Amino acid sequence: MNWQFGGIPLHPLFVHLTSVAVPVAALVAIAVAAWPAARRWLAVGAPIIGLVALVSVPLATSSGEWLEHHEEETALLERHTHLADGLLPWSIAVFALLTLWWGWQRFGVARVDARGLVRAVGIVGPVLLVAAGIGSLIEVVVIGHAGAVSVWKG
C-alpha cells in the first residue's frame, strides 16, 4: 500500500494518533482497575478506547515500514523500527483486558455464586490491567523517543 497522501507520508499522522490513543487506553486501564467509579463512568467506553489504540498501532507500524523503505537506513532508524514491533502485544493486552474486565463487571460478578472466584478475579483483574497499562505506557514512550532521535539526530 502507498502510505502517503498528496506526496506526504502518512506515518507522522498515525504516529500522533498512536502516541495519544495508547497512553489514553493505558490510563483508562489503570483507572478502571484502581477506581470503581471509573468502571461505571467509562463502562463500554473503556474497551472502545482500547480498540482505537489497538487499531492505531498497525497503522503506525505499517506506514512506518513503508517510510523506512523510502528513507536512508540508519542505526537509529533500525532501533526505532525494532522497538515499534513490541507495541502491538501490549495494545492487544490492554484491549483484551479492558474488554474482559468490562464483561466481568457487567455480566460476570452478579451471576457467579462462588465468592472465591469473584475475589480472585477482583484481585487478578486489576493487577493485570495495571501491569498492561504501565507496560504499554513505557513501550510507547521508549518507541517515541527512539523515533524522535532517529528523525532529529539521524
Side-chain angles (χ1 to χ4, degrees), residues 8-138:
I8 299 172
L10 291 172
H11 183 63
L13 175 69
F14 292 131
V15 163
H16 285 90
L17 172 63
T18 303
S19 65
V20 171
V22 170
V24 168
L27 293 173
V28 164
I30 293 167
V32 300
W35 191 17
R39 295 175 203 148
R40 290 186 301 276
W41 294 339
L42 292 166
V44 75
I48 291 170
I49 293 167
L51 180 61
V52 170
L54 176 59
V55 169
S56 75
V57 172
L59 291 173
T61 55
S62 294
S63 63
E65 288 171 1
W66 177 87
L67 186 59
E68 179 184 19
H69 295 301
H70 292 82
E71 293 291 320
E72 179 183 333
E73 187 151 343
T74 65
L76 294 173
L77 181 60
E78 184 63 33
R79 181 175 188 277
H80 170 64
T81 57
H82 176 71
L83 288 170
D85 291 335
L87 186 57
L88 187 59
W90 288 106
S91 297
I92 291 170
V94 168
F95 169 67
L97 289 168
L98 282 171
T99 302
L100 290 170
W101 188 245
W102 170 78
W104 174 255
Q105 294 297 314
R106 176 76 172 95
F107 303 109
V109 175
R111 297 186 182 181
V112 175
D113 291 331
R115 288 189 99 35
L117 178 63
V118 172
R119 184 170 291 135
V121 172
I123 294 169
V124 173
V127 168
L128 292 175
L129 279 164
V130 170
I134 291 171
S136 66
L137 280 171
I138 292 168

Side-chain angles (χ1 to χ4, degrees), residues 15 19 80 83-84 138-150 152:
V15 163
S19 65
H80 170 64
L83 288 170
I138 292 168
E139 190 75 15
V140 80
V141 168
V142 169
I143 294 165
H145 182 264
V149 168
S150 74
W152 296 106

